[in-house]
Amino acid sequence: MFAQKGILFILSGPSGVGKGTVRQRLFEQETHLKYSVSATTRNKRPGEEHGVDYFYKTREEFEEMIAQKQLLEYAQYVDNYYGTPKEYVEEQLEQGNDVFLEIEVQGAMQVKENFPKGVFIFLFPPSLNELKNRIVRRGTETDDLVRNRLQEAKKEISMMSEYDYVVVNDNVDHAVSKVQAIITSEHCKRERIETQYKKIMEDDPNARTIS
Ligand code: 5GP
């Protein structure tokens, strides 16, 4: 209808809360969203694909991306780097596409500094016990890693107050519906669309005949 920049949505929350599952289910339904594939130095898990799940990098390659300021944000998380390539996000937003990031909380806070107009969604675990079960069930982590990830999770939950929305992930379908509702609401926000709608009214030939 009119040229409008895309909206940046950031889904964040503790490791093991199910961000990946919610994001995948959301993308099965929301074809207009662009997913920003992150770069990481962690090892590829079975079934994952380079360029789809992550861009897998060596530490040297990742540190070069940091030095070249190619990342919108990055964080060291459980001994690995994770980061969002900047160019893709900026291009897509400029073209009017909504971009979706699924990242941990340190990175989300950096995005907040650079993109205060981003929409920050915190995915909340049904309980800490459930969170532990999910991390253990994933079966790809050693005991030490599980402990580290749970410790991180407790710190991360305390960051909730920095977010615009909180969605509890007690059921994936319910969580996805809530994220979709947030996306729709953000597109209807008066401050985002007011200027464009005013212009439509001014340009409407009928505007002159209605007083
Ligand atoms: P995993 O190793 O389980 O794929 O991801 C570990 C954590 O890193 C998850 O909380 C995930 O959301 C987060 N993560 C993935 N990509 C990025 C990124 O680009 N930046 C940041 N800061 N965190 C990320």
Side-chain angles (χ1 to χ4, degrees), residues 173-203:
D173 288 330
H174 292 170
V176 169
S177 301
K178 286 176 184 166
V179 173
Q180 286 173 313
I182 293 167
I183 294 172
T184 306
S185 311
E186 285 296 325
H187 274 281
C188 297
K189 269 222 166 135
R190 196 247 320 135
E191 55 266 38
R192 284 194 202 279
I193 56 178
E194 184 174 44
T195 314
Q196 287 94 337
Y197 275 97
K198 276 188 178 160
K199 175 131 184 40
I200 290 171
M201 289 296 288
E202 282 161 19
D203 293 349

mmCIF file of all heavy atoms in Angstrom, residues 173-203:
data_model
loop_
_atom_site.group_PDB
_atom_site.id
_atom_site.type_symbol
_atom_site.label_atom_id
_atom_site.label_comp_id
_atom_site.label_asym_id
_atom_site.label_seq_id
_atom_site.Cartn_x
_atom_site.Cartn_y
_atom_site.Cartn_z
ATOM 1 N N ASP A 173 2.092 -24.156 20.345
ATOM 2 C CA ASP A 173 1.074 -23.512 19.502
ATOM 3 C C ASP A 173 0.545 -22.223 20.126
ATOM 4 O O ASP A 173 0.355 -21.227 19.434
ATOM 5 C CB ASP A 173 -0.099 -24.464 19.230
ATOM 6 C CG ASP A 173 0.307 -25.565 18.262
ATOM 7 O OD1 ASP A 173 1.187 -25.300 17.414
ATOM 8 O OD2 ASP A 173 -0.222 -26.681 18.378
ATOM 9 N N HIS A 174 0.326 -22.263 21.449
ATOM 10 C CA HIS A 174 -0.160 -21.054 22.125
ATOM 11 C C HIS A 174 0.887 -19.952 22.050
ATOM 12 O O HIS A 174 0.568 -18.791 21.799
ATOM 13 C CB HIS A 174 -0.484 -21.332 23.598
ATOM 14 C CG HIS A 174 -1.652 -22.227 23.776
ATOM 15 N ND1 HIS A 174 -2.000 -22.776 24.995
ATOM 16 C CD2 HIS A 174 -2.556 -22.692 22.878
ATOM 17 C CE1 HIS A 174 -3.072 -23.535 24.841
ATOM 18 N NE2 HIS A 174 -3.420 -23.502 23.573
ATOM 19 N N ALA A 175 2.145 -20.336 22.259
ATOM 20 C CA ALA A 175 3.230 -19.335 22.234
ATOM 21 C C ALA A 175 3.329 -18.716 20.838
ATOM 22 O O ALA A 175 3.450 -17.495 20.693
ATOM 23 C CB ALA A 175 4.552 -19.975 22.645
ATOM 24 N N VAL A 176 3.222 -19.552 19.800
ATOM 25 C CA VAL A 176 3.300 -19.047 18.419
ATOM 26 C C VAL A 176 2.138 -18.089 18.143
ATOM 27 O O VAL A 176 2.329 -17.019 17.575
ATOM 28 C CB VAL A 176 3.325 -20.213 17.397
ATOM 29 C CG1 VAL A 176 3.127 -19.714 15.972
ATOM 30 C CG2 VAL A 176 4.646 -20.978 17.509
ATOM 31 N N SER A 177 0.921 -18.465 18.572
ATOM 32 C CA SER A 177 -0.235 -17.575 18.358
ATOM 33 C C SER A 177 -0.005 -16.226 19.009
ATOM 34 O O SER A 177 -0.353 -15.181 18.453
ATOM 35 C CB SER A 177 -1.512 -18.136 18.974
ATOM 36 O OG SER A 177 -1.786 -19.353 18.438
ATOM 37 N N LYS A 178 0.578 -16.258 20.205
ATOM 38 C CA LYS A 178 0.820 -14.988 20.904
ATOM 39 C C LYS A 178 1.849 -14.151 20.152
ATOM 40 O O LYS A 178 1.688 -12.940 20.016
ATOM 41 C CB LYS A 178 1.267 -15.243 22.341
ATOM 42 C CG LYS A 178 0.127 -15.696 23.222
ATOM 43 C CD LYS A 178 0.601 -16.038 24.618
ATOM 44 C CE LYS A 178 -0.555 -16.594 25.445
ATOM 45 N NZ LYS A 178 -0.085 -17.232 26.671
ATOM 46 N N VAL A 179 2.891 -14.791 19.645
ATOM 47 C CA VAL A 179 3.900 -14.029 18.886
ATOM 48 C C VAL A 179 3.254 -13.447 17.623
ATOM 49 O O VAL A 179 3.497 -12.297 17.259
ATOM 50 C CB VAL A 179 5.129 -14.917 18.548
ATOM 51 C CG1 VAL A 179 6.092 -14.179 17.623
ATOM 52 C CG2 VAL A 179 5.861 -15.342 19.818
ATOM 53 N N GLN A 180 2.385 -14.226 16.975
ATOM 54 C CA GLN A 180 1.688 -13.708 15.780
ATOM 55 C C GLN A 180 0.809 -12.513 16.139
ATOM 56 O O GLN A 180 0.744 -11.530 15.391
ATOM 57 C CB GLN A 180 0.822 -14.808 15.155
ATOM 58 C CG GLN A 180 1.661 -15.840 14.428
ATOM 59 C CD GLN A 180 0.824 -17.009 13.955
ATOM 60 O OE1 GLN A 180 0.018 -17.548 14.711
ATOM 61 N NE2 GLN A 180 1.016 -17.409 12.713
ATOM 62 N N ALA A 181 0.156 -12.591 17.295
ATOM 63 C CA ALA A 181 -0.698 -11.478 17.731
ATOM 64 C C ALA A 181 0.160 -10.227 17.973
ATOM 65 O O ALA A 181 -0.246 -9.112 17.644
ATOM 66 C CB ALA A 181 -1.453 -11.871 18.997
ATOM 67 N N ILE A 182 1.339 -10.430 18.520
ATOM 68 C CA ILE A 182 2.257 -9.294 18.774
ATOM 69 C C ILE A 182 2.659 -8.662 17.441
ATOM 70 O O ILE A 182 2.648 -7.438 17.290
ATOM 71 C CB ILE A 182 3.505 -9.770 19.565
ATOM 72 C CG1 ILE A 182 3.100 -10.193 20.975
ATOM 73 C CG2 ILE A 182 4.578 -8.675 19.602
ATOM 74 C CD1 ILE A 182 4.173 -10.958 21.743
ATOM 75 N N ILE A 183 2.982 -9.502 16.464
ATOM 76 C CA ILE A 183 3.393 -8.990 15.146
ATOM 77 C C ILE A 183 2.258 -8.150 14.541
ATOM 78 O O ILE A 183 2.465 -7.039 14.067
ATOM 79 C CB ILE A 183 3.798 -10.154 14.207
ATOM 80 C CG1 ILE A 183 5.061 -10.840 14.738
ATOM 81 C CG2 ILE A 183 4.015 -9.654 12.768
ATOM 82 C CD1 ILE A 183 5.449 -12.122 14.019
ATOM 83 N N THR A 184 1.032 -8.698 14.601
ATOM 84 C CA THR A 184 -0.120 -7.972 14.050
ATOM 85 C C THR A 184 -0.317 -6.645 14.785
ATOM 86 O O THR A 184 -0.492 -5.593 14.158
ATOM 87 C CB THR A 184 -1.397 -8.833 14.174
ATOM 88 O OG1 THR A 184 -1.136 -10.087 13.553
ATOM 89 C CG2 THR A 184 -2.589 -8.182 13.501
ATOM 90 N N SER A 185 -0.268 -6.690 16.116
ATOM 91 C CA SER A 185 -0.476 -5.455 16.896
ATOM 92 C C SER A 185 0.558 -4.401 16.547
ATOM 93 O O SER A 185 0.225 -3.229 16.403
ATOM 94 C CB SER A 185 -0.350 -5.716 18.400
ATOM 95 O OG SER A 185 -1.113 -6.799 18.761
ATOM 96 N N GLU A 186 1.803 -4.834 16.404
ATOM 97 C CA GLU A 186 2.864 -3.861 16.115
ATOM 98 C C GLU A 186 2.631 -3.179 14.768
ATOM 99 O O GLU A 186 2.935 -2.013 14.610
ATOM 100 C CB GLU A 186 4.230 -4.544 16.158
ATOM 101 C CG GLU A 186 4.690 -4.851 17.571
ATOM 102 C CD GLU A 186 4.915 -3.610 18.424
ATOM 103 O OE1 GLU A 186 5.367 -2.590 17.878
ATOM 104 O OE2 GLU A 186 4.629 -3.663 19.636
ATOM 105 N N HIS A 187 2.070 -3.930 13.811
ATOM 106 C CA HIS A 187 1.789 -3.328 12.504
ATOM 107 C C HIS A 187 0.623 -2.342 12.562
ATOM 108 O O HIS A 187 0.452 -1.543 11.658
ATOM 109 C CB HIS A 187 1.509 -4.416 11.457
ATOM 110 C CG HIS A 187 2.770 -4.930 10.846
ATOM 111 N ND1 HIS A 187 3.445 -4.249 9.857
ATOM 112 C CD2 HIS A 187 3.506 -6.023 11.124
ATOM 113 C CE1 HIS A 187 4.538 -4.912 9.543
ATOM 114 N NE2 HIS A 187 4.599 -5.998 10.294
ATOM 115 N N CYS A 188 -0.192 -2.440 13.604
ATOM 116 C CA CYS A 188 -1.337 -1.521 13.742
ATOM 117 C C CYS A 188 -1.014 -0.354 14.674
ATOM 118 O O CYS A 188 -1.873 0.487 14.924
ATOM 119 C CB CYS A 188 -2.541 -2.267 14.310
ATOM 120 S SG CYS A 188 -3.138 -3.580 13.262
ATOM 121 N N LYS A 189 0.178 -0.298 15.222
ATOM 122 C CA LYS A 189 0.505 0.773 16.187
ATOM 123 C C LYS A 189 0.388 2.129 15.529
ATOM 124 O O LYS A 189 0.974 2.362 14.466
ATOM 125 C CB LYS A 189 1.931 0.577 16.713
ATOM 126 C CG LYS A 189 1.967 -0.250 17.939
ATOM 127 C CD LYS A 189 2.948 0.334 18.939
ATOM 128 C CE LYS A 189 2.737 -0.282 20.302
ATOM 129 N NZ LYS A 189 4.001 -0.656 20.907
ATOM 130 N N ARG A 190 -0.325 3.018 16.198
ATOM 131 C CA ARG A 190 -0.577 4.340 15.634
ATOM 132 C C ARG A 190 0.713 5.053 15.245
ATOM 133 O O ARG A 190 0.855 5.553 14.125
ATOM 134 C CB ARG A 190 -1.371 5.165 16.648
ATOM 135 C CG ARG A 190 -2.013 6.384 16.066
ATOM 136 C CD ARG A 190 -1.441 7.683 16.583
ATOM 137 N NE ARG A 190 -1.141 7.680 17.997
ATOM 138 C CZ ARG A 190 -0.014 8.160 18.510
ATOM 139 N NH1 ARG A 190 0.910 8.659 17.729
ATOM 140 N NH2 ARG A 190 0.208 8.131 19.817
ATOM 141 N N GLU A 191 1.707 5.053 16.122
ATOM 142 C CA GLU A 191 2.918 5.832 15.829
ATOM 143 C C GLU A 191 3.706 5.283 14.635
ATOM 144 O O GLU A 191 4.476 5.988 14.025
ATOM 145 C CB GLU A 191 3.820 5.985 17.058
ATOM 146 C CG GLU A 191 4.242 4.707 17.729
ATOM 147 C CD GLU A 191 3.322 4.328 18.882
ATOM 148 O OE1 GLU A 191 2.095 4.534 18.759
ATOM 149 O OE2 GLU A 191 3.834 3.806 19.895
ATOM 150 N N ARG A 192 3.509 4.005 14.310
ATOM 151 C CA ARG A 192 4.212 3.455 13.140
ATOM 152 C C ARG A 192 3.529 3.847 11.831
ATOM 153 O O ARG A 192 4.173 3.991 10.811
ATOM 154 C CB ARG A 192 4.231 1.921 13.198
ATOM 155 C CG ARG A 192 5.220 1.351 14.166
ATOM 156 C CD ARG A 192 5.403 -0.130 13.894
ATOM 157 N NE ARG A 192 5.914 -0.824 15.065
ATOM 158 C CZ ARG A 192 7.184 -0.840 15.414
ATOM 159 N NH1 ARG A 192 8.076 -0.220 14.683
ATOM 160 N NH2 ARG A 192 7.574 -1.484 16.494
ATOM 161 N N ILE A 193 2.195 3.961 11.855
ATOM 162 C CA ILE A 193 1.471 4.091 10.582
ATOM 163 C C ILE A 193 0.776 5.423 10.374
ATOM 164 O O ILE A 193 0.302 5.706 9.277
ATOM 165 C CB ILE A 193 0.431 2.942 10.432
ATOM 166 C CG1 ILE A 193 -0.506 2.930 11.622
ATOM 167 C CG2 ILE A 193 1.111 1.611 10.239
ATOM 168 C CD1 ILE A 193 -1.579 1.863 11.514
ATOM 169 N N GLU A 194 0.769 6.241 11.416
ATOM 170 C CA GLU A 194 0.009 7.495 11.354
ATOM 171 C C GLU A 194 0.387 8.365 10.153
ATOM 172 O O GLU A 194 -0.475 8.816 9.400
ATOM 173 C CB GLU A 194 0.269 8.253 12.655
ATOM 174 C CG GLU A 194 -0.508 9.515 12.810
ATOM 175 C CD GLU A 194 -0.269 10.089 14.209
ATOM 176 O OE1 GLU A 194 0.900 10.103 14.666
ATOM 177 O OE2 GLU A 194 -1.246 10.517 14.817
ATOM 178 N N THR A 195 1.702 8.566 9.951
ATOM 179 C CA THR A 195 2.151 9.461 8.882
ATOM 180 C C THR A 195 1.656 8.979 7.530
ATOM 181 O O THR A 195 1.149 9.752 6.722
ATOM 182 C CB THR A 195 3.698 9.515 8.865
ATOM 183 O OG1 THR A 195 4.135 9.671 10.203
ATOM 184 C CG2 THR A 195 4.213 10.638 8.020
ATOM 185 N N GLN A 196 1.793 7.658 7.296
ATOM 186 C CA GLN A 196 1.381 7.113 6.005
ATOM 187 C C GLN A 196 -0.123 7.238 5.793
ATOM 188 O O GLN A 196 -0.574 7.563 4.715
ATOM 189 C CB GLN A 196 1.783 5.644 5.888
ATOM 190 C CG GLN A 196 3.261 5.434 5.689
ATOM 191 C CD GLN A 196 3.981 5.198 7.011
ATOM 192 O OE1 GLN A 196 3.509 5.590 8.066
ATOM 193 N NE2 GLN A 196 5.127 4.557 6.942
ATOM 194 N N TYR A 197 -0.906 6.979 6.847
ATOM 195 C CA TYR A 197 -2.361 7.064 6.687
ATOM 196 C C TYR A 197 -2.803 8.505 6.470
ATOM 197 O O TYR A 197 -3.720 8.772 5.700
ATOM 198 C CB TYR A 197 -3.083 6.425 7.881
ATOM 199 C CG TYR A 197 -3.231 4.935 7.691
ATOM 200 C CD1 TYR A 197 -2.334 4.047 8.250
ATOM 201 C CD2 TYR A 197 -4.269 4.423 6.906
ATOM 202 C CE1 TYR A 197 -2.446 2.677 8.052
ATOM 203 C CE2 TYR A 197 -4.396 3.061 6.710
ATOM 204 C CZ TYR A 197 -3.488 2.190 7.281
ATOM 205 O OH TYR A 197 -3.609 0.857 7.083
ATOM 206 N N LYS A 198 -2.130 9.444 7.142
ATOM 207 C CA LYS A 198 -2.465 10.862 6.947
ATOM 208 C C LYS A 198 -2.222 11.237 5.494
ATOM 209 O O LYS A 198 -2.996 11.960 4.881
ATOM 210 C CB LYS A 198 -1.614 11.735 7.868
ATOM 211 C CG LYS A 198 -2.202 11.842 9.254
ATOM 212 C CD LYS A 198 -1.448 12.857 10.076
ATOM 213 C CE LYS A 198 -2.064 13.000 11.448
ATOM 214 N NZ LYS A 198 -1.121 13.586 12.398
ATOM 215 N N LYS A 199 -1.107 10.715 4.948
ATOM 216 C CA LYS A 199 -0.758 11.017 3.554
ATOM 217 C C LYS A 199 -1.816 10.453 2.609
ATOM 218 O O LYS A 199 -2.221 11.114 1.651
ATOM 219 C CB LYS A 199 0.647 10.444 3.259
ATOM 220 C CG LYS A 199 1.108 10.572 1.846
ATOM 221 C CD LYS A 199 2.523 11.143 1.788
ATOM 222 C CE LYS A 199 3.001 11.379 0.357
ATOM 223 N NZ LYS A 199 2.001 11.922 -0.535
ATOM 224 N N ILE A 200 -2.257 9.245 2.903
ATOM 225 C CA ILE A 200 -3.303 8.632 2.061
ATOM 226 C C ILE A 200 -4.541 9.513 2.065
ATOM 227 O O ILE A 200 -5.152 9.783 1.028
ATOM 228 C CB ILE A 200 -3.657 7.210 2.574
ATOM 229 C CG1 ILE A 200 -2.500 6.253 2.300
ATOM 230 C CG2 ILE A 200 -4.923 6.685 1.905
ATOM 231 C CD1 ILE A 200 -2.659 4.909 2.948
ATOM 232 N N MET A 201 -4.893 10.024 3.234
ATOM 233 C CA MET A 201 -6.076 10.889 3.344
ATOM 234 C C MET A 201 -5.880 12.165 2.527
ATOM 235 O O MET A 201 -6.774 12.593 1.793
ATOM 236 C CB MET A 201 -6.320 11.272 4.816
ATOM 237 C CG MET A 201 -6.822 10.133 5.669
ATOM 238 S SD MET A 201 -8.440 9.558 5.139
ATOM 239 C CE MET A 201 -9.461 10.915 5.678
ATOM 240 N N GLU A 202 -4.677 12.758 2.650
ATOM 241 C CA GLU A 202 -4.419 14.014 1.930
ATOM 242 C C GLU A 202 -4.456 13.812 0.419
ATOM 243 O O GLU A 202 -4.926 14.661 -0.327
ATOM 244 C CB GLU A 202 -3.042 14.559 2.327
ATOM 245 C CG GLU A 202 -3.035 15.243 3.677
ATOM 246 C CD GLU A 202 -1.638 15.366 4.244
ATOM 247 O OE1 GLU A 202 -0.649 15.256 3.457
ATOM 248 O OE2 GLU A 202 -1.529 15.548 5.461
ATOM 249 N N ASP A 203 -3.904 12.668 -0.009
ATOM 250 C CA ASP A 203 -3.827 12.407 -1.447
ATOM 251 C C ASP A 203 -5.151 11.952 -2.050
ATOM 252 O O ASP A 203 -5.297 11.896 -3.258
ATOM 253 C CB ASP A 203 -2.766 11.319 -1.732
ATOM 254 C CG ASP A 203 -1.371 11.823 -1.416
ATOM 255 O OD1 ASP A 203 -1.242 13.049 -1.192
ATOM 256 O OD2 ASP A 203 -0.440 11.005 -1.373
#
